[in-house]
Amino acid sequence: DSSLITQDIFINNPYVDNFIDHYSGEIFHDHYRLYDEDNDEIPLVEQMLKFWQFTDEEIGDTTPDIFFSKEEIEKGNKIIGSYSNFGYISISSTYGSTADSSLLVNKIKDYGNIDWFYYGEKPIQETDLNFIKNYIEVKPMNLTIREQMYLKSQAKVNVGNETGMMLWGAKYSDTYVLGNKVYGSNHGGINEGKPRKRPFKSGNFVKEVKYLR
């Protein structure tokens, strides 16, 4: 349910007091004035803070946070069990159609024979990751986004194509993201297949992510 995304992101955050369903006033922020036209690789939150004249020392770490509940931690630890050295692979429906997936395959091979949690729209054996022998399928577990994120936060490494969830976990594990070189079906039919010349222009750049290019 996309209407709950805000709660999925901010629930349990000690800096968030409450959630509201409506607001009668005006919320305004002039993104056009703060945007650096010459540099796309600045996280959006840093652009906003610099607009309000925060210094680099005051800004500090802007990598996304997530705060888990006791129940989420307990369930995640039960799933992880005895796995102590594992990675997490997350690939969406556009994997293989918007970028050279061999970059992601080679990065996974760099980690040798570690165990992997795998979430994908297709079974792993139907992808170019079918060389992986030690894996646990996540999708059949029917976990919530936050429960999946707990597994990702405990992984040694996260590898996948570009999604919001991949960018979310960079503070907690080494994160390698295969960016979209062309627009996919989820970007709107009119643009599908066209080159993405400036993929970070929307402000979705995260410093701690290692982008596979």
PDB file of all heavy atoms in Angstrom, residues 100-125:
ATOM      1  N   ASP A 100      23.743  -2.989 -17.968  1.00  0.00           N
ATOM      2  CA  ASP A 100      24.564  -4.181 -18.192  1.00  0.00           C
ATOM      3  C   ASP A 100      24.665  -4.971 -16.889  1.00  0.00           C
ATOM      4  O   ASP A 100      25.410  -4.605 -15.985  1.00  0.00           O
ATOM      5  CB  ASP A 100      25.958  -3.747 -18.672  1.00  0.00           C
ATOM      6  CG  ASP A 100      26.883  -4.929 -18.918  1.00  0.00           C
ATOM      7  OD1 ASP A 100      26.419  -6.080 -18.826  1.00  0.00           O
ATOM      8  OD2 ASP A 100      28.084  -4.689 -19.192  1.00  0.00           O
ATOM      9  N   SER A 101      23.928  -6.050 -16.791  1.00  0.00           N
ATOM     10  CA  SER A 101      23.858  -6.803 -15.538  1.00  0.00           C
ATOM     11  C   SER A 101      25.159  -7.533 -15.216  1.00  0.00           C
ATOM     12  O   SER A 101      25.342  -7.980 -14.084  1.00  0.00           O
ATOM     13  CB  SER A 101      22.700  -7.806 -15.585  1.00  0.00           C
ATOM     14  OG  SER A 101      22.887  -8.748 -16.632  1.00  0.00           O
ATOM     15  N   SER A 102      26.079  -7.631 -16.188  1.00  0.00           N
ATOM     16  CA  SER A 102      27.349  -8.314 -15.909  1.00  0.00           C
ATOM     17  C   SER A 102      28.152  -7.569 -14.846  1.00  0.00           C
ATOM     18  O   SER A 102      28.955  -8.176 -14.124  1.00  0.00           O
ATOM     19  CB  SER A 102      28.180  -8.458 -17.186  1.00  0.00           C
ATOM     20  OG  SER A 102      28.618  -7.192 -17.669  1.00  0.00           O
ATOM     21  N   LEU A 103      27.950  -6.255 -14.716  1.00  0.00           N
ATOM     22  CA  LEU A 103      28.631  -5.488 -13.672  1.00  0.00           C
ATOM     23  C   LEU A 103      28.218  -5.979 -12.292  1.00  0.00           C
ATOM     24  O   LEU A 103      29.036  -6.109 -11.380  1.00  0.00           O
ATOM     25  CB  LEU A 103      28.304  -4.000 -13.820  1.00  0.00           C
ATOM     26  CG  LEU A 103      28.785  -3.310 -15.091  1.00  0.00           C
ATOM     27  CD1 LEU A 103      28.187  -1.907 -15.198  1.00  0.00           C
ATOM     28  CD2 LEU A 103      30.303  -3.235 -15.116  1.00  0.00           C
ATOM     29  N   LEU A 104      26.921  -6.260 -12.136  1.00  0.00           N
ATOM     30  CA  LEU A 104      26.410  -6.766 -10.868  1.00  0.00           C
ATOM     31  C   LEU A 104      26.859  -8.208 -10.638  1.00  0.00           C
ATOM     32  O   LEU A 104      27.264  -8.575  -9.529  1.00  0.00           O
ATOM     33  CB  LEU A 104      24.890  -6.656 -10.854  1.00  0.00           C
ATOM     34  CG  LEU A 104      24.169  -7.018  -9.564  1.00  0.00           C
ATOM     35  CD1 LEU A 104      22.977  -6.089  -9.351  1.00  0.00           C
ATOM     36  CD2 LEU A 104      23.684  -8.465  -9.597  1.00  0.00           C
ATOM     37  N   VAL A 105      26.821  -9.014 -11.683  1.00  0.00           N
ATOM     38  CA  VAL A 105      27.251 -10.416 -11.583  1.00  0.00           C
ATOM     39  C   VAL A 105      28.699 -10.493 -11.125  1.00  0.00           C
ATOM     40  O   VAL A 105      29.048 -11.270 -10.223  1.00  0.00           O
ATOM     41  CB  VAL A 105      27.067 -11.130 -12.937  1.00  0.00           C
ATOM     42  CG1 VAL A 105      27.750 -12.493 -12.926  1.00  0.00           C
ATOM     43  CG2 VAL A 105      25.592 -11.286 -13.263  1.00  0.00           C
ATOM     44  N   ASN A 106      29.559  -9.673 -11.719  1.00  0.00           N
ATOM     45  CA  ASN A 106      30.984  -9.708 -11.363  1.00  0.00           C
ATOM     46  C   ASN A 106      31.213  -9.267  -9.925  1.00  0.00           C
ATOM     47  O   ASN A 106      32.101  -9.795  -9.245  1.00  0.00           O
ATOM     48  CB  ASN A 106      31.782  -8.823 -12.322  1.00  0.00           C
ATOM     49  CG  ASN A 106      31.829  -9.388 -13.729  1.00  0.00           C
ATOM     50  OD1 ASN A 106      31.676 -10.600 -13.922  1.00  0.00           O
ATOM     51  ND2 ASN A 106      32.024  -8.532 -14.715  1.00  0.00           N
ATOM     52  N   LYS A 107      30.442  -8.309  -9.451  1.00  0.00           N
ATOM     53  CA  LYS A 107      30.588  -7.863  -8.061  1.00  0.00           C
ATOM     54  C   LYS A 107      30.191  -8.989  -7.103  1.00  0.00           C
ATOM     55  O   LYS A 107      30.858  -9.207  -6.085  1.00  0.00           O
ATOM     56  CB  LYS A 107      29.738  -6.619  -7.810  1.00  0.00           C
ATOM     57  CG  LYS A 107      29.791  -6.088  -6.400  1.00  0.00           C
ATOM     58  CD  LYS A 107      31.221  -5.863  -5.916  1.00  0.00           C
ATOM     59  CE  LYS A 107      31.988  -4.840  -6.736  1.00  0.00           C
ATOM     60  NZ  LYS A 107      33.358  -4.646  -6.192  1.00  0.00           N
ATOM     61  N   ILE A 108      29.127  -9.703  -7.404  1.00  0.00           N
ATOM     62  CA  ILE A 108      28.727 -10.831  -6.570  1.00  0.00           C
ATOM     63  C   ILE A 108      29.822 -11.891  -6.541  1.00  0.00           C
ATOM     64  O   ILE A 108      30.146 -12.454  -5.480  1.00  0.00           O
ATOM     65  CB  ILE A 108      27.401 -11.422  -7.082  1.00  0.00           C
ATOM     66  CG1 ILE A 108      26.252 -10.425  -6.833  1.00  0.00           C
ATOM     67  CG2 ILE A 108      27.100 -12.767  -6.432  1.00  0.00           C
ATOM     68  CD1 ILE A 108      24.937 -10.823  -7.448  1.00  0.00           C
ATOM     69  N   LYS A 109      30.434 -12.148  -7.681  1.00  0.00           N
ATOM     70  CA  LYS A 109      31.506 -13.160  -7.745  1.00  0.00           C
ATOM     71  C   LYS A 109      32.702 -12.749  -6.908  1.00  0.00           C
ATOM     72  O   LYS A 109      33.447 -13.614  -6.409  1.00  0.00           O
ATOM     73  CB  LYS A 109      31.908 -13.394  -9.201  1.00  0.00           C
ATOM     74  CG  LYS A 109      30.854 -14.140 -10.017  1.00  0.00           C
ATOM     75  CD  LYS A 109      31.307 -14.370 -11.447  1.00  0.00           C
ATOM     76  CE  LYS A 109      30.281 -15.185 -12.221  1.00  0.00           C
ATOM     77  NZ  LYS A 109      30.680 -15.399 -13.649  1.00  0.00           N
ATOM     78  N   ASP A 110      32.910 -11.452  -6.722  1.00  0.00           N
ATOM     79  CA  ASP A 110      34.028 -10.979  -5.887  1.00  0.00           C
ATOM     80  C   ASP A 110      33.917 -11.484  -4.454  1.00  0.00           C
ATOM     81  O   ASP A 110      34.922 -11.546  -3.737  1.00  0.00           O
ATOM     82  CB  ASP A 110      34.069  -9.449  -5.866  1.00  0.00           C
ATOM     83  CG  ASP A 110      34.587  -8.849  -7.173  1.00  0.00           C
ATOM     84  OD1 ASP A 110      35.164  -9.597  -7.978  1.00  0.00           O
ATOM     85  OD2 ASP A 110      34.391  -7.633  -7.372  1.00  0.00           O
ATOM     86  N   TYR A 111      32.700 -11.810  -4.023  1.00  0.00           N
ATOM     87  CA  TYR A 111      32.483 -12.222  -2.635  1.00  0.00           C
ATOM     88  C   TYR A 111      32.549 -13.734  -2.433  1.00  0.00           C
ATOM     89  O   TYR A 111      32.274 -14.232  -1.336  1.00  0.00           O
ATOM     90  CB  TYR A 111      31.154 -11.665  -2.129  1.00  0.00           C
ATOM     91  CG  TYR A 111      31.262 -10.205  -1.777  1.00  0.00           C
ATOM     92  CD1 TYR A 111      31.147  -9.221  -2.745  1.00  0.00           C
ATOM     93  CD2 TYR A 111      31.533  -9.795  -0.473  1.00  0.00           C
ATOM     94  CE1 TYR A 111      31.280  -7.867  -2.438  1.00  0.00           C
ATOM     95  CE2 TYR A 111      31.668  -8.456  -0.144  1.00  0.00           C
ATOM     96  CZ  TYR A 111      31.540  -7.504  -1.138  1.00  0.00           C
ATOM     97  OH  TYR A 111      31.683  -6.169  -0.827  1.00  0.00           O
ATOM     98  N   GLY A 112      32.928 -14.452  -3.478  1.00  0.00           N
ATOM     99  CA  GLY A 112      33.152 -15.878  -3.337  1.00  0.00           C
ATOM    100  C   GLY A 112      31.919 -16.665  -2.962  1.00  0.00           C
ATOM    101  O   GLY A 112      30.808 -16.390  -3.431  1.00  0.00           O
ATOM    102  N   ASN A 113      32.087 -17.623  -2.075  1.00  0.00           N
ATOM    103  CA  ASN A 113      31.022 -18.571  -1.750  1.00  0.00           C
ATOM    104  C   ASN A 113      30.276 -18.239  -0.459  1.00  0.00           C
ATOM    105  O   ASN A 113      29.893 -19.139   0.295  1.00  0.00           O
ATOM    106  CB  ASN A 113      31.601 -19.993  -1.653  1.00  0.00           C
ATOM    107  CG  ASN A 113      32.097 -20.499  -2.996  1.00  0.00           C
ATOM    108  OD1 ASN A 113      31.482 -20.259  -4.030  1.00  0.00           O
ATOM    109  ND2 ASN A 113      33.228 -21.197  -2.973  1.00  0.00           N
ATOM    110  N   ILE A 114      30.051 -16.967  -0.182  1.00  0.00           N
ATOM    111  CA  ILE A 114      29.264 -16.620   0.997  1.00  0.00           C
ATOM    112  C   ILE A 114      27.793 -16.965   0.736  1.00  0.00           C
ATOM    113  O   ILE A 114      27.377 -17.202  -0.397  1.00  0.00           O
ATOM    114  CB  ILE A 114      29.412 -15.136   1.379  1.00  0.00           C
ATOM    115  CG1 ILE A 114      28.737 -14.228   0.332  1.00  0.00           C
ATOM    116  CG2 ILE A 114      30.853 -14.750   1.585  1.00  0.00           C
ATOM    117  CD1 ILE A 114      28.632 -12.770   0.774  1.00  0.00           C
ATOM    118  N   ASP A 115      27.017 -16.998   1.794  1.00  0.00           N
ATOM    119  CA  ASP A 115      25.582 -17.241   1.657  1.00  0.00           C
ATOM    120  C   ASP A 115      24.885 -15.950   1.226  1.00  0.00           C
ATOM    121  O   ASP A 115      25.324 -14.842   1.570  1.00  0.00           O
ATOM    122  CB  ASP A 115      24.998 -17.717   2.985  1.00  0.00           C
ATOM    123  CG  ASP A 115      25.591 -19.044   3.433  1.00  0.00           C
ATOM    124  OD1 ASP A 115      25.496 -20.017   2.664  1.00  0.00           O
ATOM    125  OD2 ASP A 115      26.144 -19.092   4.553  1.00  0.00           O
ATOM    126  N   TRP A 116      23.795 -16.108   0.487  1.00  0.00           N
ATOM    127  CA  TRP A 116      23.047 -14.944   0.001  1.00  0.00           C
ATOM    128  C   TRP A 116      21.563 -15.083   0.301  1.00  0.00           C
ATOM    129  O   TRP A 116      20.974 -16.152   0.073  1.00  0.00           O
ATOM    130  CB  TRP A 116      23.208 -14.793  -1.519  1.00  0.00           C
ATOM    131  CG  TRP A 116      24.590 -14.456  -1.965  1.00  0.00           C
ATOM    132  CD1 TRP A 116      25.573 -15.332  -2.358  1.00  0.00           C
ATOM    133  CD2 TRP A 116      25.158 -13.155  -2.071  1.00  0.00           C
ATOM    134  NE1 TRP A 116      26.711 -14.655  -2.695  1.00  0.00           N
ATOM    135  CE2 TRP A 116      26.488 -13.306  -2.530  1.00  0.00           C
ATOM    136  CE3 TRP A 116      24.682 -11.863  -1.825  1.00  0.00           C
ATOM    137  CZ2 TRP A 116      27.341 -12.233  -2.753  1.00  0.00           C
ATOM    138  CZ3 TRP A 116      25.522 -10.785  -2.042  1.00  0.00           C
ATOM    139  CH2 TRP A 116      26.833 -10.973  -2.495  1.00  0.00           C
ATOM    140  N   PHE A 117      20.966 -14.026   0.808  1.00  0.00           N
ATOM    141  CA  PHE A 117      19.516 -13.895   0.765  1.00  0.00           C
ATOM    142  C   PHE A 117      19.191 -13.259  -0.582  1.00  0.00           C
ATOM    143  O   PHE A 117      19.837 -12.284  -0.986  1.00  0.00           O
ATOM    144  CB  PHE A 117      19.005 -13.024   1.907  1.00  0.00           C
ATOM    145  CG  PHE A 117      18.957 -13.728   3.225  1.00  0.00           C
ATOM    146  CD1 PHE A 117      20.047 -13.723   4.083  1.00  0.00           C
ATOM    147  CD2 PHE A 117      17.815 -14.412   3.619  1.00  0.00           C
ATOM    148  CE1 PHE A 117      20.007 -14.386   5.297  1.00  0.00           C
ATOM    149  CE2 PHE A 117      17.757 -15.073   4.834  1.00  0.00           C
ATOM    150  CZ  PHE A 117      18.863 -15.063   5.674  1.00  0.00           C
ATOM    151  N   TYR A 118      18.195 -13.812  -1.264  1.00  0.00           N
ATOM    152  CA  TYR A 118      17.879 -13.338  -2.622  1.00  0.00           C
ATOM    153  C   TYR A 118      16.412 -12.942  -2.718  1.00  0.00           C
ATOM    154  O   TYR A 118      15.518 -13.740  -2.408  1.00  0.00           O
ATOM    155  CB  TYR A 118      18.181 -14.428  -3.655  1.00  0.00           C
ATOM    156  CG  TYR A 118      17.584 -14.156  -5.021  1.00  0.00           C
ATOM    157  CD1 TYR A 118      18.189 -13.270  -5.905  1.00  0.00           C
ATOM    158  CD2 TYR A 118      16.395 -14.782  -5.422  1.00  0.00           C
ATOM    159  CE1 TYR A 118      17.629 -13.012  -7.156  1.00  0.00           C
ATOM    160  CE2 TYR A 118      15.829 -14.528  -6.659  1.00  0.00           C
ATOM    161  CZ  TYR A 118      16.451 -13.638  -7.524  1.00  0.00           C
ATOM    162  OH  TYR A 118      15.880 -13.381  -8.753  1.00  0.00           O
ATOM    163  N   TYR A 119      16.169 -11.689  -3.143  1.00  0.00           N
ATOM    164  CA  TYR A 119      14.806 -11.254  -3.447  1.00  0.00           C
ATOM    165  C   TYR A 119      14.765 -10.834  -4.915  1.00  0.00           C
ATOM    166  O   TYR A 119      15.497  -9.931  -5.341  1.00  0.00           O
ATOM    167  CB  TYR A 119      14.371 -10.078  -2.580  1.00  0.00           C
ATOM    168  CG  TYR A 119      12.918  -9.707  -2.813  1.00  0.00           C
ATOM    169  CD1 TYR A 119      11.924 -10.185  -1.962  1.00  0.00           C
ATOM    170  CD2 TYR A 119      12.535  -8.923  -3.899  1.00  0.00           C
ATOM    171  CE1 TYR A 119      10.591  -9.884  -2.188  1.00  0.00           C
ATOM    172  CE2 TYR A 119      11.208  -8.627  -4.140  1.00  0.00           C
ATOM    173  CZ  TYR A 119      10.239  -9.100  -3.285  1.00  0.00           C
ATOM    174  OH  TYR A 119       8.918  -8.812  -3.526  1.00  0.00           O
ATOM    175  N   GLY A 120      13.906 -11.456  -5.690  1.00  0.00           N
ATOM    176  CA  GLY A 120      13.769 -11.107  -7.101  1.00  0.00           C
ATOM    177  C   GLY A 120      12.397 -11.460  -7.621  1.00  0.00           C
ATOM    178  O   GLY A 120      11.687 -12.289  -7.035  1.00  0.00           O
ATOM    179  N   GLU A 121      12.029 -10.831  -8.713  1.00  0.00           N
ATOM    180  CA  GLU A 121      10.734 -11.118  -9.321  1.00  0.00           C
ATOM    181  C   GLU A 121      10.719 -12.494  -9.980  1.00  0.00           C
ATOM    182  O   GLU A 121       9.660 -13.101 -10.155  1.00  0.00           O
ATOM    183  CB  GLU A 121      10.385 -10.035 -10.352  1.00  0.00           C
ATOM    184  CG  GLU A 121      10.174  -8.656  -9.752  1.00  0.00           C
ATOM    185  CD  GLU A 121       9.076  -8.648  -8.707  1.00  0.00           C
ATOM    186  OE1 GLU A 121       8.019  -9.242  -8.953  1.00  0.00           O
ATOM    187  OE2 GLU A 121       9.289  -8.065  -7.627  1.00  0.00           O
ATOM    188  N   LYS A 122      11.906 -12.996 -10.336  1.00  0.00           N
ATOM    189  CA  LYS A 122      12.015 -14.325 -10.922  1.00  0.00           C
ATOM    190  C   LYS A 122      12.820 -15.224  -9.988  1.00  0.00           C
ATOM    191  O   LYS A 122      13.685 -14.739  -9.253  1.00  0.00           O
ATOM    192  CB  LYS A 122      12.734 -14.259 -12.280  1.00  0.00           C
ATOM    193  CG  LYS A 122      12.006 -13.494 -13.364  1.00  0.00           C
ATOM    194  CD  LYS A 122      12.824 -13.523 -14.649  1.00  0.00           C
ATOM    195  CE  LYS A 122      12.133 -12.779 -15.774  1.00  0.00           C
ATOM    196  NZ  LYS A 122      12.949 -12.788 -17.017  1.00  0.00           N
ATOM    197  N   PRO A 123      12.565 -16.536 -10.010  1.00  0.00           N
ATOM    198  CA  PRO A 123      13.444 -17.446  -9.270  1.00  0.00           C
ATOM    199  C   PRO A 123      14.882 -17.260  -9.729  1.00  0.00           C
ATOM    200  O   PRO A 123      15.136 -16.994 -10.917  1.00  0.00           O
ATOM    201  CB  PRO A 123      12.899 -18.832  -9.645  1.00  0.00           C
ATOM    202  CG  PRO A 123      11.481 -18.594 -10.051  1.00  0.00           C
ATOM    203  CD  PRO A 123      11.470 -17.238 -10.696  1.00  0.00           C
ATOM    204  N   ILE A 124      15.819 -17.409  -8.834  1.00  0.00           N
ATOM    205  CA  ILE A 124      17.210 -17.137  -9.161  1.00  0.00           C
ATOM    206  C   ILE A 124      17.715 -18.005 -10.310  1.00  0.00           C
ATOM    207  O   ILE A 124      18.573 -17.590 -11.098  1.00  0.00           O
ATOM    208  CB  ILE A 124      18.097 -17.302  -7.904  1.00  0.00           C
ATOM    209  CG1 ILE A 124      19.446 -16.607  -8.106  1.00  0.00           C
ATOM    210  CG2 ILE A 124      18.254 -18.771  -7.536  1.00  0.00           C
ATOM    211  CD1 ILE A 124      20.262 -16.487  -6.835  1.00  0.00           C
ATOM    212  N   GLN A 125      17.186 -19.220 -10.441  1.00  0.00           N
ATOM    213  CA  GLN A 125      17.629 -20.113 -11.505  1.00  0.00           C
ATOM    214  C   GLN A 125      17.217 -19.634 -12.890  1.00  0.00           C
ATOM    215  O   GLN A 125      17.745 -20.107 -13.899  1.00  0.00           O
ATOM    216  CB  GLN A 125      17.092 -21.531 -11.258  1.00  0.00           C
ATOM    217  CG  GLN A 125      17.674 -22.190 -10.024  1.00  0.00           C
ATOM    218  CD  GLN A 125      19.193 -22.252 -10.047  1.00  0.00           C
ATOM    219  OE1 GLN A 125      19.794 -22.564 -11.086  1.00  0.00           O
ATOM    220  NE2 GLN A 125      19.828 -21.957  -8.926  1.00  0.00           N
TER     221      GLN A 125
END
